[in-house]
Amino acid sequence: MTNKHVKQARRLLAILLSASMLAACAGPKTPAPSETSSAQYEQYKSENVSVQNQFDALTQTIFKEELKNSGLDLHYTLADPASRGITEVPDTFGEFSLGNMKKNYGEMQDLKKALGSIDIKKLTKEQKLTYKILSSYLETELSSEGLELYAQPLTSTIGIQAQLPILLAEYTFYSKKDVDHYLALLSTIDTYYGQILEFEKEKSEAGLFMCDTAADHVLQSCEAYLIQPDHSFLAETFNERVDALTDASPEEKAAYKEQNLAVLKEHFIPAYKNLIDGITSLMGTGTNEKGLSEFPQGKQYFEYLVKSNTATSYDSVVKLQKAIEKQLNSDLKALGEIVQTHPELVDALDTYAFQYTKPDEILETLKGQISKDFPALPKCSYKVKYVPKALEGSLSPAFYLVPPLDRYQDNVIYINGGTRFQNEDLFPTLAHEGYPGHLYQNVYFISNNTCDLRKILSFSSYSEGWATYVEYYSYTLDNGLDPNMGQLLAHNAAISLGLYALLDICINYDGWDKGQVKEYLGKFYNIGDSDVADTIYYSLVENPTNYMEYYVGYMEIMEMRNTAEKILKDQFDLKAFHTFLLDIGPAQFSIIQPYFRLWLAEQMDQ
């Protein structure tokens, strides 16, 4: 639910202006040729430090401002806000409105000007990287100005109405004050959803409302939460968290539980009922059954989504599409060669099995085996939990819950034990979520990077691309599989994801309809089931670029690795490559690429 638009404090410009004036006033006079250079050098360094301090102050102010509007964002980011000088904890989810979006653009323009007043040449190496990341981030987000009504807050799987209850269910109670804040926050959910509904009405008036099929899917996701409070998973999980408190008496715990039931009855349930009524009343106003490209500025908005959500190094959708096709064909060719050489593997697809099946056993095995290809982590821990029964139907096979920045050592991985995931391969799944996936990458970056702002700027294609890349890597480990079977499974998984990414562009940018998708799937992938084609089609219509975040990130990493292996040959060190990616951390691939070329040159000189 994090608002992607960086917010700026009103005092930012004043801070920057005064700092710039101070640096100008303290600047050295131009020395005569006969003067010694030591004083000049010392003053120059002093001026650099001043600018560096100015930049640090700017990034820290942005960090605090980003968290000041949403109590949920703040709680998930910091267990102890006071440790970062944040004393006021907001008790709302923030404001979701067209007016607020437009206000954010103005603030971003101001921030862009403020950033431009800083001399990047005087920053440290790490600060220069942050500067470039933030500058590019602002440029991308500002490119969507005027397209605010194309935003899709409500979608069947990744919409606010589907994910917010899950975040509430996993809201950690460190003490009684967290319970008080949670209840105050939950009491505003009907107001927050009312704002979203008003936004959807404005979309409808502009002719940009979702089609009825998509609206039906949203309604179904909403109806799943219309459960009597005392039978709701939000009551179940709340009670478990309250019972675990050490600073509350039995009487206080009982009172909290009663208060929670009242809030669920008076605010949570009405919020979903009103949302259902509102969406139902708008059905029929969304007449576009096709992708974004069919809307007046839909292709322009899709271009923005691609740039924002994939942070790709490719400067156009057309070039990116060709790159996806190239990587997809590469995996198809590799899979074909494996099947041709080992035809017996096709029959074994129904009977293969991983050697390790228990979660803790898998994670410990992964931790041990990856040490040869990945740098060591600082001391940290993890717990494996199972998704509450009530949530099994609405969650993925597994997920990693990102811990607060100030408690990054305490990690939790959730596994969905529902019947629909009984046949999922847990080994690659936990590689994706745990080691060397999300948990590993998150702990590595937070423990090695000192800039708080960088830790909250979201570049999901980097993080999901990394997790997808190492998921496929895990098939090659000593896991009980025939090595050729492992390669076959990895390529097959990559092909499936690549197909979704390619069709995403075909539907939302090239304008394919359901018939064209069905024809393509039948002709090239022997998928003739209309229901399957329809499911794929609408998942991509409703969630543009969602699958691309995973695939494009994986593809960008693979392209860099292939380049490094081709150029360095026997000098290529996989651990050094992984360390480079981990050290640079979440960022746009357009920014990572120049750093990669420098790293490659350094490797060649060794």
Side-chain angles (χ1 to χ4, degrees), residues 23 48 75 120 138 144 148 154-155 171 176 183 191 272 304 366 379 398 451 518 545 561:
N48 282 7
H75 185 76
I120 189 174
L138 290 170
S144 68
E148 297 88 350
L154 305 177
T155 63
Y171 189 104
K176 289 191 297 184
L183 292 170
T191 300
Y272 276 89
Y304 154 73
L366 286 166
K379 186 177 180 180
C451 179
K518 181 181 177 182
T545 73
R561 175 172 169 172

PDB file of all heavy atoms in Angstrom, residues 23 48 75 120 138 144 148 154-155 171 176 183 191 272 304 366 379 398 451 518 545 561:
ATOM      1  N   ALA A  23      27.659  27.281   1.895  1.00  0.00           N
ATOM      2  CA  ALA A  23      28.805  26.764   1.144  1.00  0.00           C
ATOM      3  C   ALA A  23      29.418  27.862   0.290  1.00  0.00           C
ATOM      4  O   ALA A  23      30.636  27.972   0.169  1.00  0.00           O
ATOM      5  CB  ALA A  23      28.368  25.588   0.272  1.00  0.00           C
ATOM      6  N   ASN A  48      33.156  19.850   0.080  1.00  0.00           N
ATOM      7  CA  ASN A  48      32.576  18.569  -0.297  1.00  0.00           C
ATOM      8  C   ASN A  48      31.775  17.973   0.858  1.00  0.00           C
ATOM      9  O   ASN A  48      30.658  17.486   0.686  1.00  0.00           O
ATOM     10  CB  ASN A  48      33.670  17.580  -0.705  1.00  0.00           C
ATOM     11  CG  ASN A  48      34.180  17.838  -2.109  1.00  0.00           C
ATOM     12  OD1 ASN A  48      33.823  18.829  -2.736  1.00  0.00           O
ATOM     13  ND2 ASN A  48      35.017  16.944  -2.596  1.00  0.00           N
ATOM     14  N   HIS A  75       4.576   1.416  10.402  1.00  0.00           N
ATOM     15  CA  HIS A  75       4.724   0.249  11.273  1.00  0.00           C
ATOM     16  C   HIS A  75       5.504  -0.863  10.587  1.00  0.00           C
ATOM     17  O   HIS A  75       6.316  -1.542  11.224  1.00  0.00           O
ATOM     18  CB  HIS A  75       3.356  -0.276  11.691  1.00  0.00           C
ATOM     19  CG  HIS A  75       3.418  -1.395  12.687  1.00  0.00           C
ATOM     20  ND1 HIS A  75       3.694  -1.198  14.017  1.00  0.00           N
ATOM     21  CD2 HIS A  75       3.254  -2.730  12.534  1.00  0.00           C
ATOM     22  CE1 HIS A  75       3.696  -2.351  14.652  1.00  0.00           C
ATOM     23  NE2 HIS A  75       3.427  -3.311  13.772  1.00  0.00           N
ATOM     24  N   ILE A 120      26.507  17.005  -7.791  1.00  0.00           N
ATOM     25  CA  ILE A 120      26.730  15.555  -7.679  1.00  0.00           C
ATOM     26  C   ILE A 120      28.215  15.217  -7.658  1.00  0.00           C
ATOM     27  O   ILE A 120      28.628  14.224  -7.051  1.00  0.00           O
ATOM     28  CB  ILE A 120      26.016  14.798  -8.825  1.00  0.00           C
ATOM     29  CG1 ILE A 120      26.066  13.280  -8.569  1.00  0.00           C
ATOM     30  CG2 ILE A 120      26.604  15.147 -10.175  1.00  0.00           C
ATOM     31  CD1 ILE A 120      25.259  12.462  -9.576  1.00  0.00           C
ATOM     32  N   LEU A 138      12.272  10.012  -9.846  1.00  0.00           N
ATOM     33  CA  LEU A 138      11.400  11.178  -9.972  1.00  0.00           C
ATOM     34  C   LEU A 138      11.020  11.420 -11.431  1.00  0.00           C
ATOM     35  O   LEU A 138       9.866  11.728 -11.749  1.00  0.00           O
ATOM     36  CB  LEU A 138      12.091  12.414  -9.395  1.00  0.00           C
ATOM     37  CG  LEU A 138      12.265  12.439  -7.872  1.00  0.00           C
ATOM     38  CD1 LEU A 138      13.163  13.595  -7.469  1.00  0.00           C
ATOM     39  CD2 LEU A 138      10.916  12.536  -7.173  1.00  0.00           C
ATOM     40  N   SER A 144       4.070  10.284 -15.536  1.00  0.00           N
ATOM     41  CA  SER A 144       2.672   9.838 -15.492  1.00  0.00           C
ATOM     42  C   SER A 144       1.718  10.978 -15.156  1.00  0.00           C
ATOM     43  O   SER A 144       0.506  10.752 -15.014  1.00  0.00           O
ATOM     44  CB  SER A 144       2.502   8.711 -14.470  1.00  0.00           C
ATOM     45  OG  SER A 144       2.702   9.187 -13.157  1.00  0.00           O
ATOM     46  N   GLU A 148      -3.432  10.246 -14.071  1.00  0.00           N
ATOM     47  CA  GLU A 148      -3.757   9.736 -12.742  1.00  0.00           C
ATOM     48  C   GLU A 148      -4.946   8.780 -12.739  1.00  0.00           C
ATOM     49  O   GLU A 148      -4.949   7.783 -11.996  1.00  0.00           O
ATOM     50  CB  GLU A 148      -4.055  10.905 -11.784  1.00  0.00           C
ATOM     51  CG  GLU A 148      -2.894  11.830 -11.544  1.00  0.00           C
ATOM     52  CD  GLU A 148      -2.785  12.960 -12.563  1.00  0.00           C
ATOM     53  OE1 GLU A 148      -3.524  12.904 -13.570  1.00  0.00           O
ATOM     54  OE2 GLU A 148      -1.980  13.872 -12.371  1.00  0.00           O
ATOM     55  N   LEU A 154      -7.968  -1.099  -7.455  1.00  0.00           N
ATOM     56  CA  LEU A 154      -8.749  -2.311  -7.191  1.00  0.00           C
ATOM     57  C   LEU A 154      -8.565  -3.315  -8.324  1.00  0.00           C
ATOM     58  O   LEU A 154      -9.003  -3.084  -9.446  1.00  0.00           O
ATOM     59  CB  LEU A 154     -10.239  -1.975  -7.052  1.00  0.00           C
ATOM     60  CG  LEU A 154     -10.616  -0.917  -6.014  1.00  0.00           C
ATOM     61  CD1 LEU A 154     -12.118  -0.656  -6.046  1.00  0.00           C
ATOM     62  CD2 LEU A 154     -10.173  -1.333  -4.614  1.00  0.00           C
ATOM     63  N   THR A 155      -7.895  -4.414  -8.038  1.00  0.00           N
ATOM     64  CA  THR A 155      -7.793  -5.519  -8.992  1.00  0.00           C
ATOM     65  C   THR A 155      -7.975  -6.820  -8.205  1.00  0.00           C
ATOM     66  O   THR A 155      -7.850  -6.842  -6.984  1.00  0.00           O
ATOM     67  CB  THR A 155      -6.431  -5.542  -9.716  1.00  0.00           C
ATOM     68  OG1 THR A 155      -5.390  -5.768  -8.755  1.00  0.00           O
ATOM     69  CG2 THR A 155      -6.169  -4.237 -10.448  1.00  0.00           C
ATOM     70  N   TYR A 171       0.049  -7.629  11.100  1.00  0.00           N
ATOM     71  CA  TYR A 171       0.529  -6.431  11.795  1.00  0.00           C
ATOM     72  C   TYR A 171       1.067  -6.837  13.171  1.00  0.00           C
ATOM     73  O   TYR A 171       0.323  -7.295  14.037  1.00  0.00           O
ATOM     74  CB  TYR A 171      -0.647  -5.457  11.925  1.00  0.00           C
ATOM     75  CG  TYR A 171      -0.335  -4.074  12.410  1.00  0.00           C
ATOM     76  CD1 TYR A 171      -0.305  -3.000  11.536  1.00  0.00           C
ATOM     77  CD2 TYR A 171      -0.125  -3.822  13.766  1.00  0.00           C
ATOM     78  CE1 TYR A 171      -0.062  -1.707  11.991  1.00  0.00           C
ATOM     79  CE2 TYR A 171       0.129  -2.537  14.232  1.00  0.00           C
ATOM     80  CZ  TYR A 171       0.157  -1.490  13.337  1.00  0.00           C
ATOM     81  OH  TYR A 171       0.399  -0.215  13.776  1.00  0.00           O
ATOM     82  N   LYS A 176       1.512  -2.945  23.950  1.00  0.00           N
ATOM     83  CA  LYS A 176       0.118  -2.503  23.980  1.00  0.00           C
ATOM     84  C   LYS A 176      -0.117  -1.296  23.075  1.00  0.00           C
ATOM     85  O   LYS A 176      -1.188  -1.166  22.473  1.00  0.00           O
ATOM     86  CB  LYS A 176      -0.289  -2.155  25.410  1.00  0.00           C
ATOM     87  CG  LYS A 176      -0.440  -3.353  26.334  1.00  0.00           C
ATOM     88  CD  LYS A 176      -1.103  -2.962  27.650  1.00  0.00           C
ATOM     89  CE  LYS A 176      -0.253  -1.983  28.423  1.00  0.00           C
ATOM     90  NZ  LYS A 176      -0.850  -1.659  29.750  1.00  0.00           N
ATOM     91  N   LEU A 183      -5.945  -0.651  16.283  1.00  0.00           N
ATOM     92  CA  LEU A 183      -7.392  -0.479  16.373  1.00  0.00           C
ATOM     93  C   LEU A 183      -7.830   0.891  15.858  1.00  0.00           C
ATOM     94  O   LEU A 183      -8.866   1.022  15.198  1.00  0.00           O
ATOM     95  CB  LEU A 183      -7.853  -0.683  17.818  1.00  0.00           C
ATOM     96  CG  LEU A 183      -7.718  -2.119  18.341  1.00  0.00           C
ATOM     97  CD1 LEU A 183      -7.953  -2.170  19.841  1.00  0.00           C
ATOM     98  CD2 LEU A 183      -8.683  -3.048  17.613  1.00  0.00           C
ATOM     99  N   THR A 191     -13.420   4.893   5.851  1.00  0.00           N
ATOM    100  CA  THR A 191     -13.126   6.203   5.254  1.00  0.00           C
ATOM    101  C   THR A 191     -12.170   6.051   4.074  1.00  0.00           C
ATOM    102  O   THR A 191     -12.363   6.658   3.007  1.00  0.00           O
ATOM    103  CB  THR A 191     -12.503   7.141   6.305  1.00  0.00           C
ATOM    104  OG1 THR A 191     -13.415   7.315   7.385  1.00  0.00           O
ATOM    105  CG2 THR A 191     -12.175   8.500   5.694  1.00  0.00           C
ATOM    106  N   TYR A 272     -16.347  -2.992   3.314  1.00  0.00           N
ATOM    107  CA  TYR A 272     -16.448  -3.919   2.177  1.00  0.00           C
ATOM    108  C   TYR A 272     -17.855  -3.933   1.588  1.00  0.00           C
ATOM    109  O   TYR A 272     -18.015  -4.064   0.364  1.00  0.00           O
ATOM    110  CB  TYR A 272     -15.985  -5.318   2.601  1.00  0.00           C
ATOM    111  CG  TYR A 272     -14.484  -5.446   2.508  1.00  0.00           C
ATOM    112  CD1 TYR A 272     -13.676  -5.111   3.590  1.00  0.00           C
ATOM    113  CD2 TYR A 272     -13.868  -5.818   1.320  1.00  0.00           C
ATOM    114  CE1 TYR A 272     -12.297  -5.176   3.497  1.00  0.00           C
ATOM    115  CE2 TYR A 272     -12.487  -5.893   1.215  1.00  0.00           C
ATOM    116  CZ  TYR A 272     -11.709  -5.566   2.300  1.00  0.00           C
ATOM    117  OH  TYR A 272     -10.334  -5.619   2.191  1.00  0.00           O
ATOM    118  N   TYR A 304       4.571   4.018 -19.202  1.00  0.00           N
ATOM    119  CA  TYR A 304       4.965   4.470 -17.858  1.00  0.00           C
ATOM    120  C   TYR A 304       5.037   3.288 -16.894  1.00  0.00           C
ATOM    121  O   TYR A 304       6.007   3.165 -16.127  1.00  0.00           O
ATOM    122  CB  TYR A 304       3.979   5.510 -17.329  1.00  0.00           C
ATOM    123  CG  TYR A 304       3.929   5.560 -15.827  1.00  0.00           C
ATOM    124  CD1 TYR A 304       4.979   6.109 -15.085  1.00  0.00           C
ATOM    125  CD2 TYR A 304       2.839   5.021 -15.119  1.00  0.00           C
ATOM    126  CE1 TYR A 304       4.954   6.121 -13.697  1.00  0.00           C
ATOM    127  CE2 TYR A 304       2.812   5.025 -13.740  1.00  0.00           C
ATOM    128  CZ  TYR A 304       3.863   5.581 -13.036  1.00  0.00           C
ATOM    129  OH  TYR A 304       3.836   5.580 -11.665  1.00  0.00           O
ATOM    130  N   LEU A 366      19.853 -25.069   1.768  1.00  0.00           N
ATOM    131  CA  LEU A 366      20.130 -23.952   0.864  1.00  0.00           C
ATOM    132  C   LEU A 366      21.222 -23.048   1.440  1.00  0.00           C
ATOM    133  O   LEU A 366      22.148 -22.633   0.724  1.00  0.00           O
ATOM    134  CB  LEU A 366      18.853 -23.156   0.608  1.00  0.00           C
ATOM    135  CG  LEU A 366      17.825 -23.809  -0.325  1.00  0.00           C
ATOM    136  CD1 LEU A 366      16.484 -23.095  -0.236  1.00  0.00           C
ATOM    137  CD2 LEU A 366      18.330 -23.789  -1.775  1.00  0.00           C
ATOM    138  N   LYS A 379      24.744 -12.122  11.101  1.00  0.00           N
ATOM    139  CA  LYS A 379      23.911 -12.999  11.908  1.00  0.00           C
ATOM    140  C   LYS A 379      22.445 -12.579  11.823  1.00  0.00           C
ATOM    141  O   LYS A 379      22.099 -11.410  12.001  1.00  0.00           O
ATOM    142  CB  LYS A 379      24.366 -12.970  13.368  1.00  0.00           C
ATOM    143  CG  LYS A 379      23.636 -13.963  14.255  1.00  0.00           C
ATOM    144  CD  LYS A 379      24.203 -13.935  15.682  1.00  0.00           C
ATOM    145  CE  LYS A 379      23.466 -14.942  16.560  1.00  0.00           C
ATOM    146  NZ  LYS A 379      24.002 -14.921  17.957  1.00  0.00           N
ATOM    147  N   ALA A 398       3.705 -19.403  -0.869  1.00  0.00           N
ATOM    148  CA  ALA A 398       4.594 -18.983   0.218  1.00  0.00           C
ATOM    149  C   ALA A 398       4.908 -17.506   0.028  1.00  0.00           C
ATOM    150  O   ALA A 398       4.777 -16.970  -1.072  1.00  0.00           O
ATOM    151  CB  ALA A 398       5.876 -19.803   0.218  1.00  0.00           C
ATOM    152  N   CYS A 451      21.853   4.167   3.862  1.00  0.00           N
ATOM    153  CA  CYS A 451      20.871   5.173   3.457  1.00  0.00           C
ATOM    154  C   CYS A 451      19.450   4.648   3.666  1.00  0.00           C
ATOM    155  O   CYS A 451      19.003   3.744   2.957  1.00  0.00           O
ATOM    156  CB  CYS A 451      21.081   5.572   2.000  1.00  0.00           C
ATOM    157  SG  CYS A 451      19.894   6.800   1.398  1.00  0.00           S
ATOM    158  N   LYS A 518      -5.892 -16.760 -27.679  1.00  0.00           N
ATOM    159  CA  LYS A 518      -6.220 -18.189 -27.791  1.00  0.00           C
ATOM    160  C   LYS A 518      -5.532 -18.802 -29.012  1.00  0.00           C
ATOM    161  O   LYS A 518      -4.964 -19.908 -28.943  1.00  0.00           O
ATOM    162  CB  LYS A 518      -7.722 -18.379 -27.890  1.00  0.00           C
ATOM    163  CG  LYS A 518      -8.145 -19.839 -27.986  1.00  0.00           C
ATOM    164  CD  LYS A 518      -9.652 -19.988 -28.118  1.00  0.00           C
ATOM    165  CE  LYS A 518     -10.041 -21.452 -28.293  1.00  0.00           C
ATOM    166  NZ  LYS A 518     -11.501 -21.630 -28.473  1.00  0.00           N
ATOM    167  N   THR A 545       1.695  -5.448 -16.337  1.00  0.00           N
ATOM    168  CA  THR A 545       3.123  -5.470 -15.962  1.00  0.00           C
ATOM    169  C   THR A 545       3.418  -6.275 -14.691  1.00  0.00           C
ATOM    170  O   THR A 545       4.574  -6.335 -14.253  1.00  0.00           O
ATOM    171  CB  THR A 545       3.735  -4.047 -15.799  1.00  0.00           C
ATOM    172  OG1 THR A 545       3.261  -3.429 -14.603  1.00  0.00           O
ATOM    173  CG2 THR A 545       3.439  -3.173 -17.004  1.00  0.00           C
ATOM    174  N   ARG A 561      24.804 -11.635 -16.706  1.00  0.00           N
ATOM    175  CA  ARG A 561      25.602 -12.820 -16.421  1.00  0.00           C
ATOM    176  C   ARG A 561      26.156 -13.439 -17.711  1.00  0.00           C
ATOM    177  O   ARG A 561      27.345 -13.800 -17.780  1.00  0.00           O
ATOM    178  CB  ARG A 561      24.773 -13.845 -15.659  1.00  0.00           C
ATOM    179  CG  ARG A 561      25.518 -15.156 -15.429  1.00  0.00           C
ATOM    180  CD  ARG A 561      24.780 -16.096 -14.516  1.00  0.00           C
ATOM    181  NE  ARG A 561      25.396 -17.424 -14.522  1.00  0.00           N
ATOM    182  CZ  ARG A 561      25.066 -18.407 -13.702  1.00  0.00           C
ATOM    183  NH1 ARG A 561      24.126 -18.230 -12.796  1.00  0.00           N
ATOM    184  NH2 ARG A 561      25.667 -19.579 -13.781  1.00  0.00           N
TER     185      ARG A 561
END
